[in-house]
């Protein structure tokens, strides 16, 4: 093994022996990433879907700066602080229905772990034993920690690598068709004594390949959960905060889940923060004179004040700047820019919803070659598997967005698939 720059860093989802060295970023601004060699890339990903307001928004910078001077962190056990109180109140007001009880953590995966724990303990606290599994959907992605991973697509989620270590969950297709609805109904009946909850990514299965389903499908999932008396967990970690064109994807189907997970764009792409939000009904199962009925979870950096300040500032921007209108304008522009690829050689599907555009390729592309072609053309686009997608900042300029779709058309049109 020869020493290379960065050898001490173990990189995400990376075969360290084979991967090309990463590019070094030195600065970001708006929808641009500046590299150490001076090149500037137009960002088509918004840093894994987090930077909804673009990078370095002055309002968020100022809020975090002020909080840094005041109190960067304080433990949350036995103490509280205004940034967290304010954020929880605002999230409860924004979310539909009785989603009123906010538990803060520091990453999406942990928010999902907490949701799973809440669902399992919800039953135990009510004296019901044996309900320890969740029903999840094929194509889904819920995170990389063990519990969250157990609810990811069983093939894409690499369950076979971890074998018996992972809890065995129940998997179904999303009920897009009547037969799938019948199969879901049947699975809910068959497993009725062992299921604690159903977990779904509303409208878009993100990391699973930007797979989209109509609001009616989501409404069907919610209806079947009600009928079977099962809590529904909506994982809005990707879809939350305007990505699909409304503040939350659940609103598009008019449903209210029992537990909802948020992270990614919660702080506008600046700090690590996540939230698991429960309805009053779920919360009430933990409200008791019995200390053992408490939710036994509490990350060290829970409700970090800097992150809460960033999230409050991000919510300010949703109030003062036209983010949802921008998401809807991006939808039109993405459609115009990507739709011409429908029917092109090697393209099997083009999907657009809100500020998400995806081009599904027919075969497995040479991902490394594809990624470097995008960089050569001055854009930051990171396909996964056979899907090339754009999830830009909601503030991206028309010209930058057009450049992104132009390059996607150019690179895919050159037969890179
Ligand atoms: C990214 C993501 C997660 C995991 O969040 P992390 O912060 O990476 O742990 C979970 N669910 C969905 C839908 C996601 O997109």
């Amino acid at each position: 093994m020869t020493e290379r720059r960065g050898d001490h860093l173990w990189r995400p989802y990376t075969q360290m022996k084979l991967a090309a060295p990463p590019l070094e970023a030195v600065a970001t601004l708006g929808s641009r990433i500046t590299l150490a060699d001076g090149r500037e890339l137009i960002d088509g990903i918004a840093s894994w879907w987090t930077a909804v307001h673009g990078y370095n928004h002055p309002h968020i910078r100022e809020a975090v700066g002020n909080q840094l001077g005041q109190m960067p962190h304080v433990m949350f056990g036995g103490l509280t602080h205004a940034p967290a109180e304010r954020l929880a109140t605002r999230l409860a007001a924004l979310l539909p229905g009785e989603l009123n009880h906010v538990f803060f953590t520091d990453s999406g995966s942990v928010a999902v772990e907490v949701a799973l724990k809440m669902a399992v303990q919800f039953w135990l606290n009510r004296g019901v034993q044996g309900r320890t599994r969740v029903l999840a959907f094929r194509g889904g992605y819920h995170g990389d920690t063990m519990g969250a991973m157990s609810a990811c697509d069983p093939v894409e989620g690499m369950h076979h690598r971890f074998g018996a270590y992972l809890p065995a969950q129940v998997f179904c297709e999303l009920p897009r068709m009547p037969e799938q609805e019948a199969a879901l109904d049947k699975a809910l009946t068959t497993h009725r004594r062992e299921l604690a909850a159903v977990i779904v990514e509303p409208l878009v299965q993100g990391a699973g390949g930007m797979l989209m389903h109509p609001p009616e499908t989501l409404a069907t999932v919610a209806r079947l959960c009600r009928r079977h008396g099962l809590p529904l967990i909506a994982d809005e970690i990707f879809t939350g905060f305007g990505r699909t064109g409304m503040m939350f994807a659940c609103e598009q189907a008019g449903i209210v889940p029992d537990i909802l997970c948020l992270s990614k764009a919660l702080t506008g792409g600046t700090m690590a923060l996540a939230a698991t939000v429960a309805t009053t009904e779920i919360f009430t199962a933990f409200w008791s004179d019995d200390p053992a009925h408490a939710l036994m979870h509490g990350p060290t950096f829970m409700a970090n004040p800097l992150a809460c300040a960033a999230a409050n500032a991000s919510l300010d921007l949703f109030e003062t700047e036209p983010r949802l209108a921008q998401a809807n304008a991006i939808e039109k522009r993405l459609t115009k820019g990507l739709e011409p690829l429908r029917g092109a050689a090697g393209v099997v599907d083009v999907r657009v919803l809100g500020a998400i555009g995806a081009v599904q390729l027919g075969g497995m592309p040479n991902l490394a070659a594809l990624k470097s072609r995008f960089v050569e053309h001055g854009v930051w686009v990171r396909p996964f598997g056979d899907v090339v997608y754009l999830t830009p900042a909601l503030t991206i300029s028309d010209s930058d967005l057009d450049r992104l779709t132009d390059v996607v058309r150019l690179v895919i049109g050159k037969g890179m698939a």
Side-chain angles (χ1 to χ4, degrees):
M1 256 182 80
T2 49
E3 286 255 334
R4 284 192 317 188
R5 188 169 63 92
D7 269 353
H8 297 289
L9 280 172
W10 204 334
R11 305 196 47 80
Y13 307 111
T14 301
Q15 174 41 265
M16 297 296 290
K17 185 174 180 189
L18 303 176
L23 303 173
E24 186 179 347
V26 291
T28 53
L29 190 64
S31 280
R32 304 295 179 101
I33 301 171
T34 306
L35 301 180
D37 62 12
R39 281 182 294 171
E40 197 176 78
L41 302 178
I42 301 173
D43 184 2
I45 307 298
S47 280
W48 275 334
W49 328 327
T50 60
V52 276
H53 313 290
Y55 295 111
N56 307 26
H57 195 291
H59 182 64
I60 300 181
R61 280 169 56 180
E62 194 193 340
V64 173
N66 291 342
Q67 188 60 45
L68 186 63
Q70 183 83 25
M71 180 172 70
H73 185 65
V74 69
M75 66 185 281
F76 212 54
L79 295 172
T80 191
H81 50 77
E85 297 278 352
R86 180 149 180 265
L87 181 58
T89 304
R90 293 174 87 183
L91 289 174
L94 273 175
L95 287 164
E98 295 216 318
L99 287 162
N100 286 334
H101 302 274
V102 184
F103 191 93
F104 288 116
T105 52
D106 31 32
S107 81
S109 300
V110 176
V112 170
E113 296 291 338
V114 169
L116 299 176
K117 203 184 235 188
M118 269 181 194
V120 169
Q121 199 179 343
F122 167 79
W123 293 105
L124 292 174
N125 283 0
R126 295 176 8 152
V128 181
Q129 302 291 324
R131 286 181 171 267
T132 55
R133 301 175 76 184
V134 293
L135 187 145
F137 294 99
R138 295 193 181 275
Y141 174 80
H142 299 287
D144 294 342
T145 52
M146 288 294 175
M149 191 167 64
S150 74
C152 294
D153 182 276
V155 178
E156 295 295 322
M158 318 278 178
H159 288 202
H160 56 278
R161 294 193 193 184
F162 298 95
Y165 188 70
L166 285 186
Q169 313 297 12
V170 178
F171 290 94
C172 279
E173 299 290 336
L174 276 164
R176 291 183 170 89
M177 314 278 191
E179 317 84 81
Q180 293 161 337
E181 180 178 339
L184 175 58
D185 195 26
K186 185 157 174 261
L188 291 170
T189 305
T190 307
H191 299 282
R192 67 186 174 280
R193 291 209 172 76
E194 38 179 22
L195 285 176
V198 172
I199 185 166
V200 68
E201 287 167 274
L203 300 191
V204 191
Q205 293 177 307
M210 300 298 162
L211 307 170
M212 298 170 185
H213 56 266
E216 297 74 50
T217 301
L218 182 58
T220 300
V221 172
R223 185 161 33 82
L224 288 178
C225 284
R226 286 280 165 276
R227 190 192 297 161
H228 289 268
L230 266 188
L232 175 63
I233 302 170
D235 178 352
E236 290 237 22
I237 291 169
F238 168 49
T239 52
F241 303 105
R243 185 52 65 186
T244 66
M246 284 180 83
M247 199 61 172
F248 303 103
C250 283
E251 295 176 274
Q252 260 149 294
I255 67 148
V256 182
D258 302 280
I259 300 174
L260 184 138
C261 302
L262 298 168
S263 187
K264 295 251 159 65
L266 175 56
T267 65
T270 53
M271 312 274 298
L273 185 69
T276 307
V277 190
T279 57
T280 305
E281 189 190 351
I282 297 288
F283 179 76
T284 303
F286 293 79
W287 179 268
S288 158
D289 292 322
D290 185 349
H293 285 178
L295 179 64
M296 295 306 283
H297 212 97
T300 306
F301 278 96
M302 179 171 185
N304 170 250
L306 286 174
C308 290
N312 276 310
S314 175
L315 293 185
D316 294 343
L317 292 174
F318 277 99
E319 288 170 10
T320 56
E321 298 186 4
R323 285 296 170 271
L324 299 184
Q326 287 168 323
N328 289 297
I330 290 173
E331 178 175 280
K332 293 201 182 70
R333 242 183 155 82
L334 280 174
T335 305
K336 190 163 145 270
L338 297 179
E339 220 19 75
L341 280 168
R342 192 180 295 283
V347 173
V348 296
D349 195 19
V350 177
R351 300 185 282 274
V352 176
L353 178 67
I356 309 163
V359 180
Q360 177 112 32
L361 305 176
M364 259 326 225
N366 177 341
L367 272 185
L370 200 51
K371 285 171 185 171
S372 61
R373 284 294 298 280
F374 284 123
V375 171
E376 282 161 29
H377 285 285
V379 303
W380 185 241
V381 177
R382 305 275 297 169
F384 36 54
D386 54 1
V387 178
V388 175
Y389 74 91
L390 296 174
T391 50
L394 304 181
T395 52
I396 192 169
S397 69
D398 288 350
S399 56
D400 276 4
L401 184 56
D402 289 348
R403 178 71 190 150
L404 287 170
T405 54
D406 287 350
V407 172
V408 168
R409 284 201 314 276
L410 181 78
V411 168
I412 292 178
K414 286 241 168 82
M416 288 300 292

